[in-house]
Each structure stands twice: as structure tokens, then as C-alpha cells.
Amino acid sequence: MYKTILGIETSCDETAAAVLQKGGDKIKILSNIVSSSALLQTKYGGIIPEQAAREQLKVIIPVVKEALEQANLKREGIDAIAVTYGPGLIGSLLVGVETAKTLALVWDEQSSGILKPLIPVNHLLGHFYANWIENPTPPSFPLLGLLVSGGHTDLVLFKDHMDYEYLGGTRDDAAGECFDKCARLLGLPYPGGPEISKLGENGDPKLFNLPKPMMASGDYDFSFSGLKTAVANLSSQLNLENPQVKRDLCASIEETITETLIRKTLKAAKQFNVGQIMLAGGVAANQKLKTKLQEAVTKLNPDIELYIPPPHLCTDNGAMIAAAAFFSKKIIHPLELQADPSLGL
Ligand code: KG4
Ligand code: ZN
């Protein structure tokens, strides 16, 4: 319906804005700006919500301005504004939501009272829509989706755009959260996923037999908190000053998380006989997960297509929010939009 959308994303520690353009089936990025407070998180070992929101307040306007400048557009060139309204940290969500509401109100056409359309986007769905961006052969339906991020691990069966069945998810920690918590136990900086992956490259993934709970649970749920506890116990017994011990433990953590994710995804692919699978979320940037899932999918059925966004579109960004908005029929009056920190799928 709309050709050019500004997408705003501030659900966690990133402040992001992007301008995307849709022509036919093709979605093109005109700009994609992400400002991260990850350096602060590294310093303090994780996200401090109040601090994250304060940083976002400082940078949201410059980030939106830069997104428009890079796209070489002024407000007249924007057809609609999309914003993440949940789930996430309330202070962080409010920064994006209130900015988008204000822009929708003040960017009316020559003060005619006709507001810029405002499209609220569920952050979790946004992650999946990274698969439609600059993809010459975007996914079609039915389609199995695995979302693996810092806050979520969800298996979803999509029947059409915005029409889906929730199959299962984590009962405790998310896959990314497990990476982050294990990294912290090993004295590695935040975000932990890339750090564990990097160290694990030269480790033996089979050396430590870590728990894989719920592998045979018969449903599509996950549980990762036991893995973190096992790593906590092991790290008090092992000599982590020995770099090879640390490498082996990292390789085993990565192996355990990726094996668990792959097992349940394949189970769902078989049961629902899907021809297409998509990955999404920060952990989808993990090379081992990508390679092993591709191998497993090809072994199951070489005709199944696997979609994985490029790494910079796996982690939080505004482009995925704008992309999802192209397929949404939801438009809301700015004064009615509320942030919803516990929004689900
Ligand atoms: O999707 P995302 O940017 O934010 C949320 O919505 O949560 O995901 C962040 C998560 C973090 O837990 C981070 O450790 C993980 O994604 N992550 C990775 C990798 N890159 C980011 N985990 C494993 N391997 C990676 N290469
Ligand atoms: Zn996210």
C-alpha cells in the first residue's frame, strides 16, 4: 500500500531508524542507521534499562535525521511511519513510540490535519521480516520460522503474512540470553554470543557433555537455564586461566545450543511438511547455527529452502520494522498508540 516507510526501533539497547522502499515484490534499503549502547553494556556487563533509555533519548532525533538524510528524502517523501511498540524494555520502547507518534502528528500534509499514517509493529514479527529485505526471491507460504534472539526463542508456522500459529518457545532463558549468561560466567564481554562463537572456533565441541533439556519432550518448547547452571558449576571446577579449556567450553556451549535449536526446528519441518524455513533474530547471525541447520535441512529434504538474513539485519534494526509494516494492515491514530513491554506473538 505504501511505497516508502520510515521504520523506528528502540526496544532494547539499540536506537535505530531506516527508510525502505517497496516496488512490486522488491524491498530496498535507502538508509539503515543503528546506534548501539553496547559499549556501555560491555562496561557494566549487561543492559541497565534506565541507562539504555537515557542514551536512546539523546540519540533518537539525530538517528532519524541521519536516516532521512542518507535516504535523500524529506518528510514529504515518507508515506508512513512504522515503530516497534513491544515487546521490550518500557523506557526504551517509549523513546521510539513517542518519537514516532510526535512525527506522525507534526508531519501532517501542509498543516492540513491529514496525519502521516502510523503503523505499530511487533518487534518479534519484525525480526522475521528481515528475510524480505533486498531478497530477490523472498519467502512464500506456508513457512516455518525460528526466532532466536536475546529475549526470545520461538517456533512459528506462518500461513500467510501476519497469519501464523505459535508452535512453541523457551520456558525460561532465550538462546541469546543463554549465550550472554554463559559468556558472563566465563568473564567474556557482552554481547556474549559472538564472543563464545569466536573462542569456540578453536575448541573441541564434544569435550564437555552439557545438558540438552527437553530434546525429547514431544513439543516445540525449549529450556536453556539448565545449560547456564551446568556452565556455572563447571567453571568453578575448571581452570579457566588455561585458554584451551575456555575454548573447549565455548565450543561445547555453542554446539549444545545450536544442536537443540536444530533438532526442534527439523521436528516441526517434518511434522508440518513445510517447503520453506526462515531464521531470524540476533542468534541467527551465528555461523555454526547457519551451516549446521543448512546441512540438516538439505539432509531432510534437499528441496526445502532455508532463508537467513545477513548478519546486520539479524540483530535489532529499523529496516526490519519498516519491512514488516509493508505487509501490515494496522494503522493507528498516534494518540491511541501505547508501548506494550510484554507483547507476545
Ligand atoms: O535480536 P537481538 O539483536 O536483540 C533482541 O531482540 O534480543 O539479539 C541479541 C542476541 C544477544 O543475546 C547476542 O549474544 C546474540 O543475539 N548474538 C549471537 C551472535 N550475534 C548476536 N549469538 C550467537 N552468535 C552470534 N554470532
Ligand atoms: Zn530483537
Side-chain angles (χ1 to χ4, degrees), residues 20 38 47 74 136 156 167 193 205 250-251 274 276 290 325 334:
L20 269 67
I47 296 167
K74 294 207 166 23
V156 185
L167 301 181
C250 284
V274 293
Q276 309 192 64
K290 295 196 278 191

Side-chain angles (χ1 to χ4, degrees), residues 70 74 83 109 116 161 165 186 251 267 300 311 326 340:
Q70 272 198 19
K74 294 207 166 23
V83 65
E109 304 300 326
K116 269 300 173 214
H161 287 296
E165 184 187 339
L186 302 181
K267 179 178 148 73
L300 175 69
F326 283 118
D340 183 353

Side-chain angles (χ1 to χ4, degrees), residues 126-154:
H127 269 299
F128 284 119
Y129 276 89
N131 285 290
W132 271 262
I133 300 172
E134 296 194 335
N135 184 349
T137 52
S140 54
F141 305 97
L143 169 68
L144 178 67
L146 172 68
L147 169 62
V148 271
S149 70
H152 290 266
T153 307
D154 295 307

Side-chain angles (χ1 to χ4, degrees), residues 39-113:
L39 277 180
L40 273 180
Q41 329 305 356
T42 304
K43 191 168 159 198
Y44 295 105
I47 296 167
I48 300 170
E50 166 85 15
Q51 195 184 41
R54 282 172 186 269
E55 284 307 306
Q56 288 167 315
L57 257 186
K58 279 191 223 157
V59 296
I60 184 73
I61 296 298
V63 164
V64 169
K65 199 163 168 266
E66 199 178 332
L68 289 173
E69 278 167 9
Q70 272 198 19
N72 207 11
L73 288 174
K74 294 207 166 23
R75 65 187 196 188
E76 300 77 24
I78 301 294
D79 299 326
I81 301 166
V83 65
T84 299
Y85 72 108
L89 303 168
I90 183 64
S92 297
L93 284 169
L94 281 172
V95 174
V97 165
E98 296 306 314
T99 303
K101 285 162 72 168
T102 309
L103 292 178
L105 283 167
V106 300
W107 279 0
D108 63 341
E109 304 300 326
Q110 279 128 24
S111 308
S112 62

Side-chain angles (χ1 to χ4, degrees), residues 233-311:
N233 291 338
L234 261 178
S235 35
S236 62
Q237 294 158 20
L238 297 168
N239 176 15
L240 292 175
E241 300 298 314
N242 178 337
Q244 193 53 42
V245 172
K246 215 164 172 174
R247 287 187 205 120
D248 292 336
L249 189 52
C250 284
S252 301
I253 294 167
E254 190 179 38
E255 172 90 356
T256 307
I257 297 176
T258 51
E259 282 296 311
T260 309
L261 295 171
I262 292 169
R263 181 86 70 95
K264 293 257 165 147
T265 306
L266 284 198
K267 179 178 148 73
K270 263 192 247 171
Q271 177 172 345
F272 297 100
N273 202 16
V274 293
Q276 309 192 64
I277 302 174
M278 64 173 161
L279 267 187
V283 183
N286 184 277
Q287 195 52 51
K288 191 157 189 178
L289 175 63
K290 295 196 278 191
T291 312
K292 289 201 140 196
L293 182 59
Q294 183 63 71
E295 282 168 11
V297 166
T298 309
K299 202 166 151 207
L300 175 69
N301 178 352
D303 292 334
I304 297 180
E305 202 74 50
L306 177 64
Y307 297 91
I308 306 171

